[in-house]
Amino acid sequence: MTEILREIGMIARALDSISNIEFKELDLTKGQYLYLVRICENPGIIQEQLLELIKVDRSTATRALQKLEINDFIEKKNDPGNKKIKRLFPTEKGKEAFPFIIRENEFSNRVALEGFTDQEAELAARLLQRIRKNVEKDWESVKKGQKRNY
């Protein structure tokens, strides 16, 4: 069987390592840029929605969000209709960092797809989306405490 998950993992770790090095000058570390991008794209998002977008557990997200808030990249605001709900918004500092992060992402995409035709790039994207959807099913069930049968 093809070791596709190993390849996906190596790509993800390499890109994450590059991003952590390049975003260090912005004071963003350990994947915090992922959270900031989603918050900038979805101002007012709540933490639960963010967890679903990024596919991380609550404690990991809580730590990252706390650091982003301490470093003034995001702010939490009470929901007007429900004071228990905290909505996440980028600060001015977060909004200023956002275009740099997007440029890095676009550059990484170009590098990753170098030598691909448009059709090959589209096919790769569609196949990866199918893989993600397959994995999401297990992720959802395991997250709820279910065991997988190997």
Side-chain angles (χ1 to χ4, degrees), residues 125-138:
R126 283 196 313 272
L127 294 173
L128 286 169
Q129 287 169 356
R130 281 178 55 194
I131 292 168
R132 177 184 46 82
K133 287 177 183 175
N134 289 342
V135 172
E136 279 178 345
K137 293 174 195 169
D138 272 3

Side-chain angles (χ1 to χ4, degrees), residues 53-144:
L53 280 176
I54 299 178
K55 306 292 183 239
V56 294
D57 61 84
R58 182 169 306 175
S59 61
T60 301
T62 298
R63 283 191 304 275
L65 293 171
Q66 285 172 340
K67 289 178 184 172
L68 286 170
E69 192 173 20
I70 288 167
N71 290 325
D72 197 35
F73 284 103
I74 65 164
E75 60 184 336
K76 295 177 183 177
K77 295 181 181 177
N78 288 330
D79 182 274
N82 184 344
K83 300 292 182 204
K84 291 181 181 179
I85 295 175
K86 300 283 188 203
R87 298 205 169 267
L88 307 170
F89 294 90
T91 60
E92 282 307 310
K93 183 178 177 181
K95 290 176 188 174
E96 288 171 11
F98 181 64
F100 180 77
I101 298 168
I102 295 303
R103 280 195 312 275
E104 186 280 336
N105 181 260
E106 290 169 351
F107 180 83
S108 291
N109 269 318
R110 284 193 305 275
V111 168
L113 295 172
E114 192 172 312
F116 281 59
T117 66
D118 288 345
Q119 293 83 3
E120 289 171 328
E122 283 298 318
L123 177 61
R126 283 196 313 272
L127 294 173
L128 286 169
Q129 287 169 356
R130 281 178 55 194
I131 292 168
R132 177 184 46 82
K133 287 177 183 175
N134 289 342
V135 172
E136 279 178 345
K137 293 174 195 169
D138 272 3
W139 181 73
E140 288 291 337
S141 67
V142 169
K143 193 172 75 162
K144 293 174 183 168

